[in-house]
Amino acid sequence: GVGPSDASPDEGVVEDLPLIDEKAVEQLTEGLISHYLPDLQRSKLALQELTQNQVVLLETLEQEISKFKDCNSILDINALFSEAKHYHNKLVNIRNEMMMLHEKTSKLKVSGINI
């Protein structure tokens, strides 16, 4: 059989719910909010400041990266100028050799040797 010890511990609670004081619930809610809200607002401000700092940091990093890219471009340009100078020297040497050969052939023609 069902005895008094078999009764559910939650029995009767549902009937008690309508007796909850709405004013008390409102006051408890306001108390809870007023307890946690200042900390949450401070956290929100700290997060906003952190986000702004991150944006500034990212912009600074982008500027530094572009400076490095510019440096690499300058190095590339310097390498091109060095290479151009090298080839210019080769051309000058070839021109000098051609002039020397031209002089030699002219002298040989003057001596009567036809080439």
Side-chain angles (χ1 to χ4, degrees), residues 34-70:
S34 67
H35 179 73
Y36 286 108
L37 194 59
D39 284 340
L40 289 172
Q41 287 173 332
R42 278 192 296 273
S43 296
K44 179 183 177 184
L45 288 174
L47 285 171
Q48 285 174 339
E49 186 178 346
L50 181 64
T51 303
Q52 288 171 349
N53 289 341
Q54 283 179 330
V55 167
V56 170
L57 182 62
L58 283 172
E59 288 172 355
T60 307
L61 278 173
E62 285 174 4
Q63 290 172 2
E64 292 301 313
I65 288 169
S66 70
K67 285 180 189 175
F68 278 116
K69 285 180 180 174
D70 291 345

Side-chain angles (χ1 to χ4, degrees), residues 4-23:
S5 61
D6 291 336
S8 169
D10 293 335
E11 194 175 315
V13 171
V14 175
E15 289 83 17
D16 293 342
L17 285 177
L19 302 176
I20 292 175
D21 185 2
E22 293 294 325
K23 182 86 171 162

